[in-house]
Amino acid sequence: MKRITLLAVVAFLCVGAMVFADTATVALTGAVEAGAKIVMTGTSTTIQQYTNNEGTTGWANMNLTASLGDLSANFYLRSSDFATWIIPNAWVTEKLFNKVLELRAGNIDNAMSSTANQGWGGISGTGIQIVVNPVAGLSIGALVPAPLAAADISAELAQFVVGASFSVPNLANFVATFKNALVTGGYEIDAGVNVTAVTGLTAQLEATLPVATGSTYKIFENVAYKVGSLTPGISATENFPTFDITVTPVVTYAIDSVYSAWAQVGYTMSSSKIAPEVGVSAAWNGMGTLKVYWDGSFASTSSNTIEINFIHNF
């Protein structure tokens, strides 16, 4: 909590300095998400808060950016219960030499080298970040950890992260990340490619490779193709060395510019788990997105979940 508090003070000071400068511009953006789910397992039925992909229930999120030329300050406000607020990320950025060099400091959220679908990799974290953009489409960055509490400097510096992204227009986007000392005696390599060469085609190949005793490697593939209002696709995740595979075919149908529906069935080889999901979503311009879907599971322990999720961006 002390780390978050100190970062918040630094961010607020930077924001205040920029707000009171005559040429400062402040952009306020954010999102609110809430929902509920009904979980049916055997003879038990419970109602719970919706849990998003970050594992947070019933959350509110606000992002604030203040900029003065090439200097900017960012911080996120987040609530898990709409009453208590924390600041999970706060950092300042300075762009130099016509934006060829970017310097950041704080608890940084930067997905520059993260994979497009699974979000593996990235050079986010608490410390000092250096990003170089030598040519159009190419970014190379590093994060040097800098904890706010006393820590052994050699141990902290050993946990460095480096990453790169390279985008070729109308061909593909490539990313790679190297994380050192992520676990005791090990490191992690993450990489991905997202093909953009064909209109309507989604083709992604991603991998996360932690190198340490007992590590599990994961490879992810996703292919989909849009034909009119219909988009069929299939994704797969392989885990090594256990060689466990999960395959999920999916079909999405765009009813109109607002409403869409989807259906998918996931199958996991090791547990013989079959997980169907069907749902509808509505995206209202200027208001938000509503999703209602059923998520089932047929295995040794079966369950069925009905979820309602609403997101409003402002």
Side-chain angles (χ1 to χ4, degrees):
M1 183 58 68
K2 289 182 179 178
R3 292 188 179 188
I4 292 176
T5 302
L6 184 53
L7 286 171
V9 171
V10 173
F12 274 114
L13 288 175
C14 293
V15 170
M18 294 175 188
V19 167
F20 287 105
D22 292 338
T23 57
T25 60
V26 179
L28 181 63
T29 60
V32 176
E33 177 173 358
K37 61 182 179 182
I38 299 173
V39 181
M40 296 164 282
T41 304
T43 59
S44 173
T45 300
T46 60
I47 184 167
Q48 307 171 15
Q49 282 186 311
Y50 167 81
T51 303
N52 66 10
N53 291 333
E54 296 181 353
T56 310
T57 58
W59 58 282
N61 188 48
M62 181 180 294
N63 312 326
L64 179 65
T65 300
S67 59
L68 176 59
D70 289 329
L71 177 65
S72 62
N74 299 72
F75 67 88
Y76 295 166
L77 287 171
R78 179 171 297 165
S79 175
S80 61
D81 56 8
F82 298 98
T84 305
W85 293 81
I86 63 172
I87 302 179
N89 300 97
W91 70 95
V92 292
T93 302
E94 176 69 33
K95 297 181 180 180
L96 303 169
F97 310 117
N98 198 26
K99 299 181 175 59
V100 171
L101 177 64
E102 300 178 17
L103 302 177
R104 292 180 178 86
N107 192 339
I108 305 161
D109 182 13
N110 185 350
M112 181 203 76
S113 61
S114 299
T115 61
N117 194 294
Q118 297 295 297
W120 294 332
I123 55 173
S124 299
T126 301
I128 300 171
Q129 185 187 96
I130 303 171
V131 176
V132 180
N133 308 298
V135 296
L138 175 63
S139 295
I140 303 171
L143 176 74
V144 180
L148 300 182
D152 182 79
I153 187 170
S154 59
E156 290 297 323
L157 292 178
Q159 300 182 53
F160 69 87
V161 182
V162 294
S165 64
F166 184 50
S167 178
V168 182
N170 301 317
L171 179 62
N173 301 323
F174 305 89
V175 295
T177 304
F178 176 84
K179 300 180 179 180
N180 194 49
L182 192 70
V183 292
T184 303
Y187 57 89
E188 180 178 303
I189 298 173
D190 305 286
V193 56
N194 183 21
V195 177
T196 59
V198 180
T199 302
L201 174 68
T202 298
Q204 299 164 329
L205 175 62
E206 304 174 2
T208 179
L209 310 171
V211 180
T213 303
S215 297
T216 299
Y217 311 147
K218 293 183 180 182
I219 298 177
F220 172 82
E221 305 94 1
N222 180 41
V223 178
Y225 187 70
K226 188 176 186 300
V227 183
S229 299
L230 196 66
T231 305
I234 186 169
S235 64
T237 302
E238 297 88 32
N239 296 333
F240 299 94
T242 58
F243 199 69
D244 189 17
I245 300 176
T246 299
V247 179
T248 306
V250 59
V251 176
T252 302
Y253 179 72
I255 301 171
D256 53 28
S257 60
V258 174
Y259 300 96
S260 62
W262 77 90
Q264 67 182 47
V265 179
Y267 174 75
T268 302
M269 184 177 67
S270 61
S271 60
S272 298
K273 178 182 178 180
I274 300 175
E277 179 179 299
V278 294
V280 294
S281 65
W284 297 281
N285 186 27
M287 180 176 177
T289 302
L290 174 67
K291 289 184 178 180
V292 180
Y293 57 96
W294 168 74
D295 185 358
S297 175
F298 303 101
S300 56
T301 302
S302 299
S303 65
N304 295 281
T305 302
I306 300 174
E307 296 196 11
I308 302 174
N309 176 32
F310 179 77
I311 302 174
H312 174 62
N313 296 291
F314 58 89

